[in-house]
Amino acid sequence: MMTLEDMIILARRSRECAERARQEEQFWERLIAERRRTANDATPPCAAVA
């Protein structure tokens, strides 16, 4: 059976895990947004020739 202290520790670890997941999600969202901006700013190959 879990004690109150065990439940508190589990809740803390769960919050920490959720926070890390949010940070990782934000990292990937920023990376994807940056890649999209880079792709949109790139000169298309056919426009460079014209």
Side-chain angles (χ1 to χ4, degrees), residues 3-14:
T3 65
L4 179 58
E5 185 176 344
D6 292 336
M7 288 187 268
I8 291 170
I9 291 168
L10 183 60
R12 184 179 305 124
R13 288 181 182 166
S14 180

Side-chain angles (χ1 to χ4, degrees), residues 11-47:
R12 184 179 305 124
R13 288 181 182 166
S14 180
R15 280 193 309 271
E16 290 168 355
C17 183
E19 178 58 30
R20 283 193 301 273
R22 279 191 294 274
Q23 290 173 355
E24 186 173 338
E25 179 184 20
Q26 290 170 352
F27 167 81
W28 286 110
E29 286 175 350
R30 285 191 303 269
L31 183 65
I32 290 168
E34 180 61 32
R35 295 277 172 96
R36 284 184 177 150
R37 277 193 299 276
T38 301
N40 289 340
D41 293 344
T43 304
C46 59

